[in-house]
Amino acid sequence: MHELAVAQALVEQVDAVIDQHNATAASLIRVRIGPLAGVVPELLGSAFPLAAAGSRMERAVLDLVTAPIKVHCQTCGAETEAAMNRLICGACGDWHTQVISGDELLLESVELETSTAHPSPLTPPHPNV
């Protein structure tokens, strides 16, 4: 399953973010996926708990955000949304377009947990008996 490899790479990337910010864990991971990215969001959502098991993000919520397909028309210059199998300009109908959104797979944000453990209060020494 391709999505399992993507989930494993995501775990590695989030682990690096956790280290970079001296956090203890991740609680929310937001990923932006375009329909042209070649990743099925439902399968990635199913694969993520397997990849994250035993890691510092095993309890994290994976929020998958769908990015719209947008194209830039090379004829009229418009930027419009397009359909998956119909990458034409929404303004003039020309097919000379360039995809500007919808093919991405991006780690958009990570909410981190930091250690809230405080040193225990000093215990008075026990009297010698």
Tab-separated table of all heavy atoms in Angstrom, residues 57-108:
chain	number	residue	atom	x	y	z
A	57	MET	N	3.513	10.456	18.289
A	57	MET	CA	2.270	10.992	17.711
A	57	MET	C	1.193	9.930	17.613
A	57	MET	O	0.222	10.093	16.891
A	57	MET	CB	2.521	11.655	16.365
A	57	MET	CG	3.007	10.717	15.297
A	57	MET	SD	4.329	11.376	14.284
A	57	MET	CE	5.709	11.493	15.368
A	58	GLU	N	1.338	8.860	18.387
A	58	GLU	CA	0.360	7.771	18.298
A	58	GLU	C	-1.031	8.186	18.752
A	58	GLU	O	-2.017	7.596	18.339
A	58	GLU	CB	0.839	6.532	19.047
A	58	GLU	CG	0.857	6.639	20.542
A	58	GLU	CD	1.363	5.354	21.184
A	58	GLU	OE1	1.358	4.297	20.522
A	58	GLU	OE2	1.787	5.408	22.340
A	59	ARG	N	-1.145	9.227	19.569
A	59	ARG	CA	-2.467	9.701	20.012
A	59	ARG	C	-2.901	10.951	19.247
A	59	ARG	O	-3.937	11.537	19.548
A	59	ARG	CB	-2.450	9.981	21.506
A	59	ARG	CG	-2.300	8.713	22.334
A	59	ARG	CD	-2.448	8.967	23.829
A	59	ARG	NE	-1.730	10.130	24.337
A	59	ARG	CZ	-0.477	10.118	24.785
A	59	ARG	NH1	0.202	9.005	24.789
A	59	ARG	NH2	0.084	11.223	25.226
A	60	ALA	N	-2.124	11.363	18.265
A	60	ALA	CA	-2.431	12.583	17.510
A	60	ALA	C	-3.621	12.374	16.583
A	60	ALA	O	-3.848	11.279	16.062
A	60	ALA	CB	-1.219	13.010	16.691
A	61	VAL	N	-4.354	13.432	16.379
A	61	VAL	CA	-5.447	13.446	15.417
A	61	VAL	C	-4.861	13.845	14.066
A	61	VAL	O	-4.124	14.830	13.969
A	61	VAL	CB	-6.542	14.454	15.837
A	61	VAL	CG1	-7.599	14.604	14.763
A	61	VAL	CG2	-7.158	14.037	17.168
A	62	LEU	N	-5.172	13.083	13.046
A	62	LEU	CA	-4.726	13.399	11.693
A	62	LEU	C	-5.876	14.097	10.980
A	62	LEU	O	-6.931	13.510	10.763
A	62	LEU	CB	-4.311	12.134	10.938
A	62	LEU	CG	-3.803	12.337	9.515
A	62	LEU	CD1	-2.530	13.177	9.503
A	62	LEU	CD2	-3.559	10.989	8.856
A	63	ASP	N	-5.665	15.370	10.648
A	63	ASP	CA	-6.679	16.177	9.967
A	63	ASP	C	-6.263	16.314	8.504
A	63	ASP	O	-5.252	16.950	8.204
A	63	ASP	CB	-6.779	17.550	10.634
A	63	ASP	CG	-7.844	18.433	10.011
A	63	ASP	OD1	-8.758	17.919	9.349
A	63	ASP	OD2	-7.762	19.669	10.207
A	64	LEU	N	-7.033	15.697	7.622
A	64	LEU	CA	-6.728	15.729	6.194
A	64	LEU	C	-7.605	16.777	5.525
A	64	LEU	O	-8.832	16.672	5.545
A	64	LEU	CB	-6.951	14.355	5.575
A	64	LEU	CG	-6.125	13.233	6.201
A	64	LEU	CD1	-6.516	11.889	5.614
A	64	LEU	CD2	-4.643	13.492	6.013
A	65	VAL	N	-6.979	17.801	4.949
A	65	VAL	CA	-7.677	18.906	4.305
A	65	VAL	C	-7.539	18.733	2.798
A	65	VAL	O	-6.429	18.541	2.289
A	65	VAL	CB	-7.063	20.257	4.738
A	65	VAL	CG1	-7.755	21.416	4.048
A	65	VAL	CG2	-7.124	20.401	6.252
A	66	THR	N	-8.650	18.813	2.089
A	66	THR	CA	-8.622	18.660	0.636
A	66	THR	C	-8.337	20.001	-0.022
A	66	THR	O	-9.028	20.987	0.237
A	66	THR	CB	-9.967	18.112	0.113
A	66	THR	OG1	-10.230	16.872	0.766
A	66	THR	CG2	-9.925	17.890	-1.381
A	67	ALA	N	-7.324	20.030	-0.868
A	67	ALA	CA	-6.977	21.237	-1.622
A	67	ALA	C	-7.737	21.224	-2.944
A	67	ALA	O	-7.812	20.188	-3.604
A	67	ALA	CB	-5.476	21.286	-1.883
A	68	PRO	N	-8.293	22.359	-3.342
A	68	PRO	CA	-9.007	22.394	-4.617
A	68	PRO	C	-8.029	22.373	-5.796
A	68	PRO	O	-6.879	22.787	-5.665
A	68	PRO	CB	-9.759	23.725	-4.565
A	68	PRO	CG	-8.915	24.588	-3.693
A	68	PRO	CD	-8.313	23.650	-2.668
A	69	ILE	N	-8.516	21.905	-6.926
A	69	ILE	CA	-7.707	21.956	-8.152
A	69	ILE	C	-7.900	23.344	-8.748
A	69	ILE	O	-9.032	23.763	-9.011
A	69	ILE	CB	-8.147	20.882	-9.159
A	69	ILE	CG1	-7.983	19.488	-8.566
A	69	ILE	CG2	-7.346	21.015	-10.458
A	69	ILE	CD1	-8.565	18.381	-9.422
A	70	LYS	N	-6.809	24.062	-8.923
A	70	LYS	CA	-6.844	25.382	-9.549
A	70	LYS	C	-5.861	25.395	-10.708
A	70	LYS	O	-4.778	24.804	-10.617
A	70	LYS	CB	-6.487	26.483	-8.547
A	70	LYS	CG	-7.531	26.685	-7.479
A	70	LYS	CD	-7.189	27.866	-6.597
A	70	LYS	CE	-8.227	28.037	-5.510
A	70	LYS	NZ	-7.910	29.174	-4.646
A	71	VAL	N	-6.251	26.073	-11.774
A	71	VAL	CA	-5.386	26.192	-12.949
A	71	VAL	C	-5.194	27.656	-13.309
A	71	VAL	O	-6.039	28.506	-13.024
A	71	VAL	CB	-5.968	25.428	-14.164
A	71	VAL	CG1	-5.999	23.933	-13.903
A	71	VAL	CG2	-7.346	25.935	-14.543
A	72	HIS	N	-4.052	27.922	-13.930
A	72	HIS	CA	-3.752	29.239	-14.488
A	72	HIS	C	-3.842	29.107	-15.999
A	72	HIS	O	-3.168	28.257	-16.593
A	72	HIS	CB	-2.354	29.699	-14.078
A	72	HIS	CG	-1.936	30.964	-14.747
A	72	HIS	ND1	-2.384	32.192	-14.341
A	72	HIS	CD2	-1.132	31.187	-15.814
A	72	HIS	CE1	-1.866	33.122	-15.122
A	72	HIS	NE2	-1.099	32.530	-16.026
A	73	CYS	N	-4.677	29.930	-16.607
A	73	CYS	CA	-4.856	29.886	-18.057
A	73	CYS	C	-3.739	30.669	-18.740
A	73	CYS	O	-3.508	31.839	-18.434
A	73	CYS	CB	-6.215	30.463	-18.453
A	73	CYS	SG	-6.528	30.411	-20.230
A	74	GLN	N	-3.039	30.008	-19.649
A	74	GLN	CA	-1.950	30.660	-20.366
A	74	GLN	C	-2.472	31.546	-21.490
A	74	GLN	O	-1.718	32.329	-22.054
A	74	GLN	CB	-0.983	29.606	-20.896
A	74	GLN	CG	-0.331	28.836	-19.769
A	74	GLN	CD	0.522	27.664	-20.235
A	74	GLN	OE1	0.476	27.277	-21.388
A	74	GLN	NE2	1.286	27.108	-19.312
A	75	THR	N	-3.765	31.447	-21.799
A	75	THR	CA	-4.350	32.257	-22.857
A	75	THR	C	-4.906	33.569	-22.313
A	75	THR	O	-4.541	34.643	-22.777
A	75	THR	CB	-5.470	31.474	-23.591
A	75	THR	OG1	-4.915	30.271	-24.103
A	75	THR	CG2	-6.073	32.283	-24.725
A	76	CYS	N	-5.804	33.467	-21.301
A	76	CYS	CA	-6.433	34.693	-20.785
A	76	CYS	C	-5.863	35.157	-19.449
A	76	CYS	O	-6.177	36.245	-18.992
A	76	CYS	CB	-7.950	34.510	-20.689
A	76	CYS	SG	-8.503	33.466	-19.318
A	77	GLY	N	-5.036	34.331	-18.784
A	77	GLY	CA	-4.409	34.714	-17.521
A	77	GLY	C	-5.262	34.482	-16.282
A	77	GLY	O	-4.826	34.776	-15.175
A	78	ALA	N	-6.471	33.953	-16.459
A	78	ALA	CA	-7.349	33.718	-15.302
A	78	ALA	C	-6.859	32.545	-14.464
A	78	ALA	O	-6.233	31.618	-14.971
A	78	ALA	CB	-8.772	33.459	-15.780
A	79	GLU	N	-7.158	32.607	-13.174
A	79	GLU	CA	-6.918	31.490	-12.265
A	79	GLU	C	-8.278	31.013	-11.790
A	79	GLU	O	-9.003	31.765	-11.137
A	79	GLU	CB	-6.038	31.912	-11.089
A	79	GLU	CG	-4.618	32.199	-11.498
A	79	GLU	CD	-3.696	32.490	-10.328
A	79	GLU	OE1	-4.143	32.461	-9.168
A	79	GLU	OE2	-2.522	32.771	-10.602
A	80	THR	N	-8.624	29.782	-12.147
A	80	THR	CA	-9.945	29.247	-11.832
A	80	THR	C	-9.828	27.831	-11.299
A	80	THR	O	-8.799	27.170	-11.477
A	80	THR	CB	-10.852	29.240	-13.087
A	80	THR	OG1	-10.246	28.435	-14.100
A	80	THR	CG2	-11.083	30.646	-13.616
A	81	GLU	N	-10.902	27.364	-10.650
A	81	GLU	CA	-10.951	25.979	-10.212
A	81	GLU	C	-11.282	25.101	-11.403
A	81	GLU	O	-11.913	25.542	-12.361
A	81	GLU	CB	-11.980	25.795	-9.095
A	81	GLU	CG	-11.509	26.394	-7.791
A	81	GLU	CD	-12.305	25.940	-6.586
A	81	GLU	OE1	-13.023	24.920	-6.656
A	81	GLU	OE2	-12.199	26.617	-5.551
A	82	ALA	N	-10.823	23.868	-11.341
A	82	ALA	CA	-11.049	22.922	-12.435
A	82	ALA	C	-11.431	21.570	-11.856
A	82	ALA	O	-11.224	21.305	-10.669
A	82	ALA	CB	-9.788	22.794	-13.293
A	83	ALA	N	-11.957	20.727	-12.704
A	83	ALA	CA	-12.323	19.372	-12.305
A	83	ALA	C	-11.148	18.435	-12.560
A	83	ALA	O	-10.267	18.725	-13.375
A	83	ALA	CB	-13.545	18.902	-13.089
A	84	MET	N	-11.148	17.305	-11.875
A	84	MET	CA	-10.045	16.357	-11.949
A	84	MET	C	-9.709	15.945	-13.384
A	84	MET	O	-8.549	15.909	-13.757
A	84	MET	CB	-10.382	15.124	-11.126
A	84	MET	CG	-9.300	14.108	-11.130
A	84	MET	SD	-8.605	13.973	-9.525
A	84	MET	CE	-8.482	12.245	-9.364
A	85	ASN	N	-10.667	15.618	-14.158
A	85	ASN	CA	-10.423	15.159	-15.527
A	85	ASN	C	-10.715	16.226	-16.564
A	85	ASN	O	-10.884	15.923	-17.743
A	85	ASN	CB	-11.273	13.914	-15.818
A	85	ASN	CG	-10.884	12.763	-14.925
A	85	ASN	OD1	-9.710	12.563	-14.637
A	85	ASN	ND2	-11.865	12.014	-14.473
A	86	ARG	N	-10.789	17.470	-16.144
A	86	ARG	CA	-11.122	18.557	-17.048
A	86	ARG	C	-10.366	19.806	-16.620
A	86	ARG	O	-10.937	20.730	-16.030
A	86	ARG	CB	-12.626	18.774	-17.004
A	86	ARG	CG	-13.169	19.550	-18.137
A	86	ARG	CD	-14.703	19.394	-18.180
A	86	ARG	NE	-15.302	20.474	-18.907
A	86	ARG	CZ	-15.481	20.450	-20.215
A	86	ARG	NH1	-15.120	19.408	-20.907
A	86	ARG	NH2	-16.042	21.472	-20.824
A	87	LEU	N	-9.086	19.836	-16.898
A	87	LEU	CA	-8.211	20.925	-16.464
A	87	LEU	C	-8.242	22.081	-17.449
A	87	LEU	O	-7.211	22.533	-17.950
A	87	LEU	CB	-6.783	20.404	-16.278
A	87	LEU	CG	-6.626	19.249	-15.286
A	87	LEU	CD1	-5.193	18.742	-15.267
A	87	LEU	CD2	-7.079	19.667	-13.899
A	88	ILE	N	-9.445	22.595	-17.695
A	88	ILE	CA	-9.590	23.711	-18.629
A	88	ILE	C	-9.890	24.992	-17.852
A	88	ILE	O	-10.304	24.953	-16.691
A	88	ILE	CB	-10.706	23.448	-19.667
A	88	ILE	CG1	-12.063	23.297	-18.982
A	88	ILE	CG2	-10.378	22.240	-20.530
A	88	ILE	CD1	-13.236	23.241	-19.942
A	89	CYS	N	-9.686	26.123	-18.517
A	89	CYS	CA	-9.927	27.428	-17.906
A	89	CYS	C	-11.420	27.613	-17.669
A	89	CYS	O	-12.234	27.418	-18.580
A	89	CYS	CB	-9.394	28.533	-18.815
A	89	CYS	SG	-9.722	30.193	-18.185
A	90	GLY	N	-11.767	27.994	-16.472
A	90	GLY	CA	-13.158	28.249	-16.134
A	90	GLY	C	-13.669	29.563	-16.687
A	90	GLY	O	-14.872	29.797	-16.727
A	91	ALA	N	-12.769	30.431	-17.133
A	91	ALA	CA	-13.177	31.729	-17.669
A	91	ALA	C	-13.386	31.681	-19.181
A	91	ALA	O	-14.414	32.107	-19.690
A	91	ALA	CB	-12.141	32.790	-17.320
A	92	CYS	N	-12.398	31.149	-19.919
A	92	CYS	CA	-12.503	31.169	-21.382
A	92	CYS	C	-12.663	29.785	-22.011
A	92	CYS	O	-12.912	29.672	-23.207
A	92	CYS	CB	-11.300	31.895	-22.000
A	92	CYS	SG	-9.752	30.957	-21.921
A	93	GLY	N	-12.486	28.717	-21.215
A	93	GLY	CA	-12.668	27.363	-21.722
A	93	GLY	C	-11.463	26.785	-22.442
A	93	GLY	O	-11.523	25.669	-22.958
A	94	ASP	N	-10.353	27.510	-22.487
A	94	ASP	CA	-9.156	27.031	-23.180
A	94	ASP	C	-8.497	25.907	-22.385
A	94	ASP	O	-8.591	25.847	-21.162
A	94	ASP	CB	-8.176	28.188	-23.381
A	94	ASP	CG	-7.125	27.910	-24.434
A	94	ASP	OD1	-6.977	26.737	-24.856
A	94	ASP	OD2	-6.422	28.851	-24.845
A	95	TRP	N	-7.817	25.024	-23.072
A	95	TRP	CA	-7.138	23.900	-22.416
A	95	TRP	C	-5.655	24.176	-22.177
A	95	TRP	O	-4.959	23.357	-21.598
A	95	TRP	CB	-7.298	22.625	-23.242
A	95	TRP	CG	-6.776	22.748	-24.650
A	95	TRP	CD1	-7.467	23.188	-25.747
A	95	TRP	CD2	-5.458	22.451	-25.098
A	95	TRP	NE1	-6.667	23.177	-26.855
A	95	TRP	CE2	-5.412	22.723	-26.489
A	95	TRP	CE3	-4.298	21.979	-24.479
A	95	TRP	CZ2	-4.270	22.558	-27.251
A	95	TRP	CZ3	-3.164	21.809	-25.251
A	95	TRP	CH2	-3.154	22.093	-26.620
A	96	HIS	N	-5.155	25.332	-22.552
A	96	HIS	CA	-3.753	25.702	-22.289
A	96	HIS	C	-3.649	26.228	-20.851
A	96	HIS	O	-3.625	27.438	-20.631
A	96	HIS	CB	-3.271	26.763	-23.285
A	96	HIS	CG	-3.137	26.253	-24.672
A	96	HIS	ND1	-4.121	26.424	-25.617
A	96	HIS	CD2	-2.147	25.548	-25.269
A	96	HIS	CE1	-3.742	25.867	-26.751
A	96	HIS	NE2	-2.541	25.313	-26.567
A	97	THR	N	-3.621	25.316	-19.923
A	97	THR	CA	-3.587	25.696	-18.511
A	97	THR	C	-2.415	25.041	-17.804
A	97	THR	O	-1.844	24.064	-18.286
A	97	THR	CB	-4.890	25.277	-17.798
A	97	THR	OG1	-5.039	23.864	-17.894
A	97	THR	CG2	-6.107	25.984	-18.382
A	98	GLN	N	-2.100	25.593	-16.657
A	98	GLN	CA	-1.053	25.043	-15.794
A	98	GLN	C	-1.656	24.848	-14.404
A	98	GLN	O	-2.291	25.765	-13.865
A	98	GLN	CB	0.129	26.011	-15.717
A	98	GLN	CG	1.238	25.536	-14.828
A	98	GLN	CD	2.397	26.534	-14.786
A	98	GLN	OE1	2.294	27.652	-15.259
A	98	GLN	NE2	3.487	26.103	-14.202
A	99	VAL	N	-1.482	23.673	-13.835
A	99	VAL	CA	-2.005	23.385	-12.495
A	99	VAL	C	-1.209	24.194	-11.478
A	99	VAL	O	0.024	24.141	-11.445
A	99	VAL	CB	-1.913	21.876	-12.175
A	99	VAL	CG1	-2.324	21.603	-10.736
A	99	VAL	CG2	-2.766	21.065	-13.135
A	100	ILE	N	-1.922	24.957	-10.644
A	100	ILE	CA	-1.251	25.739	-9.592
A	100	ILE	C	-1.637	25.258	-8.196
A	100	ILE	O	-1.004	25.633	-7.217
A	100	ILE	CB	-1.523	27.252	-9.737
A	100	ILE	CG1	-3.021	27.547	-9.722
A	100	ILE	CG2	-0.862	27.797	-10.990
A	100	ILE	CD1	-3.354	29.033	-9.698
A	101	SER	N	-2.657	24.409	-8.111
A	101	SER	CA	-3.070	23.835	-6.835
A	101	SER	C	-3.857	22.562	-7.120
A	101	SER	O	-4.532	22.465	-8.132
A	101	SER	CB	-3.954	24.830	-6.069
A	101	SER	OG	-4.498	24.231	-4.919
A	102	GLY	N	-3.743	21.622	-6.205
A	102	GLY	CA	-4.496	20.383	-6.340
A	102	GLY	C	-3.613	19.163	-6.501
A	102	GLY	O	-4.090	18.042	-6.453
A	103	ASP	N	-2.309	19.392	-6.672
A	103	ASP	CA	-1.392	18.262	-6.804
A	103	ASP	C	-0.456	18.156	-5.594
A	103	ASP	O	0.485	17.384	-5.595
A	103	ASP	CB	-0.574	18.367	-8.093
A	103	ASP	CG	0.272	19.625	-8.172
A	103	ASP	OD1	0.090	20.553	-7.348
A	103	ASP	OD2	1.125	19.700	-9.076
A	104	GLU	N	-0.757	18.917	-4.547
A	104	GLU	CA	0.139	18.953	-3.396
A	104	GLU	C	-0.192	17.904	-2.343
A	104	GLU	O	-1.328	17.441	-2.235
A	104	GLU	CB	0.140	20.344	-2.741
A	104	GLU	CG	-1.181	20.765	-2.145
A	104	GLU	CD	-2.035	21.595	-3.099
A	104	GLU	OE1	-2.003	21.374	-4.310
A	104	GLU	OE2	-2.754	22.458	-2.601
A	105	LEU	N	0.826	17.552	-1.598
A	105	LEU	CA	0.726	16.716	-0.407
A	105	LEU	C	1.645	17.392	0.597
A	105	LEU	O	2.863	17.208	0.564
A	105	LEU	CB	1.175	15.283	-0.699
A	105	LEU	CG	1.209	14.325	0.482
A	105	LEU	CD1	-0.170	14.177	1.113
A	105	LEU	CD2	1.744	12.974	0.061
A	106	LEU	N	1.067	18.244	1.456
A	106	LEU	CA	1.851	19.105	2.330
A	106	LEU	C	1.518	18.903	3.800
A	106	LEU	O	0.335	18.821	4.172
A	106	LEU	CB	1.586	20.579	2.001
A	106	LEU	CG	1.922	21.061	0.606
A	106	LEU	CD1	1.395	22.466	0.396
A	106	LEU	CD2	3.417	21.022	0.388
A	107	LEU	N	2.554	18.872	4.615
A	107	LEU	CA	2.361	18.926	6.056
A	107	LEU	C	2.085	20.395	6.364
A	107	LEU	O	2.970	21.233	6.296
A	107	LEU	CB	3.605	18.436	6.797
A	107	LEU	CG	3.584	18.555	8.320
A	107	LEU	CD1	2.406	17.790	8.910
A	107	LEU	CD2	4.897	18.062	8.899
A	108	GLU	N	0.827	20.701	6.636
A	108	GLU	CA	0.416	22.094	6.790
A	108	GLU	C	0.707	22.643	8.180
A	108	GLU	O	1.191	23.754	8.330
A	108	GLU	CB	-1.073	22.209	6.465
A	108	GLU	CG	-1.564	23.609	6.253
A	108	GLU	CD	-2.971	23.635	5.715
A	108	GLU	OE1	-3.924	23.402	6.484
A	108	GLU	OE2	-3.110	23.871	4.514
